[in-house]
Amino acid sequence: MKFAIDILIERKEGVADPEGNTIKDALRRLGYDSVESVRTSKMFSVVVEVNSPAEAKQIAEEIAQKVLANPVIENFKIFNIEEAG
Amino acid sequence: MKFAIDILIERKEGVADPEGNTIKDALRRLGYDSVESVRTSKMFSVVVEVNSPAEAKQIAEEIAQKVLANPVIENFKIFNIEEAG
């Protein structure tokens, strides 16, 4: 069975986000004065061919931990495990 | 009041995702043969100081449309509008 999984990789609290800060500054210059902060993160939508949602989740966790996230500065969240196709 | 809003910017269907493909190939080389596809997208967590959730949503939509997304190749989704701090 195919399962689609979303993996969100975000910076840990306190880790600087220069891209987010640049976007915040740009938005303010454009007149969006109500914008107080912008934090960026990365989403990976992965489709895996496995036998169960539990297996899909396990692979997603491994991938997130070993490949996608830098554990020193990033956290990951796994959600939306759904049968696909 | 402060509201936190999540804005997801994703490629439209059919638009190539070279970064996702590179990650998929890397995962397969590492032995994750069950991985069929990887699509990447970008999440922006924005905090705005406004008077209502409706106003927060309106600003988020404007920002997404005019600044964050490239409407030729990208869609945006707005979700998780929550009072913050």
Side-chain angles (χ1 to χ4, degrees):
Chain A
M1 290 183 283
K2 286 182 191 179
F3 293 92
I5 314 159
D6 287 339
I7 304 172
L8 182 71
I9 309 287
E10 52 189 5
R11 286 175 180 76
K12 290 184 178 175
E13 260 191 67
V15 175
D17 182 350
E19 184 184 358
N21 283 335
T22 302
I23 293 169
K24 181 198 68 184
D25 294 343
L27 289 170
R28 289 215 185 140
R29 274 198 306 278
L30 290 167
Y32 295 104
D33 301 320
S34 60
V35 174
E36 299 227 325
S37 71
V38 178
R39 299 278 289 175
T40 61
S41 50
K42 197 112 212 191
M43 180 87 94
F44 298 89
S45 302
V46 180
V47 175
V48 290
E49 170 84 45
V50 291
N51 295 316
S52 69
E55 205 179 330
K57 193 179 176 203
Q58 199 202 322
I59 288 178
E61 278 175 359
E62 257 190 67
I63 288 173
Q65 239 160 6
K66 294 190 186 165
V67 184
L68 300 177
N70 174 350
V72 178
I73 56 166
E74 292 170 331
N75 288 322
F76 67 88
K77 285 180 196 160
I78 288 165
F79 50 106
N80 287 344
I81 301 176
E82 279 174 12
E83 219 177 313
Chain B
M1 287 182 286
K2 286 184 191 177
F3 293 92
I5 314 158
D6 286 339
I7 304 172
L8 182 71
I9 309 287
E10 51 190 3
R11 287 173 179 79
K12 290 183 178 174
E13 260 191 66
V15 174
D17 183 348
E19 185 184 356
N21 285 335
T22 302
I23 293 169
K24 181 197 70 184
D25 293 343
L27 288 170
R28 289 214 185 138
R29 274 198 307 278
L30 290 168
Y32 296 103
D33 301 321
S34 58
V35 174
E36 299 227 325
S37 71
V38 177
R39 300 277 289 173
T40 61
S41 50
K42 198 112 210 191
M43 180 85 95
F44 298 90
S45 301
V46 181
V47 174
V48 291
E49 169 85 44
V50 292
N51 294 316
S52 70
E55 205 180 328
K57 192 180 178 200
Q58 199 202 321
I59 288 178
E61 278 174 359
E62 259 189 66
I63 288 174
Q65 237 159 8
K66 293 189 185 167
V67 184
L68 301 178
N70 174 350
V72 177
I73 55 166
E74 292 171 329
N75 289 323
F76 66 89
K77 284 182 196 158
I78 288 165
F79 49 107
N80 286 344
I81 302 178
E82 279 174 12
E83 218 178 314

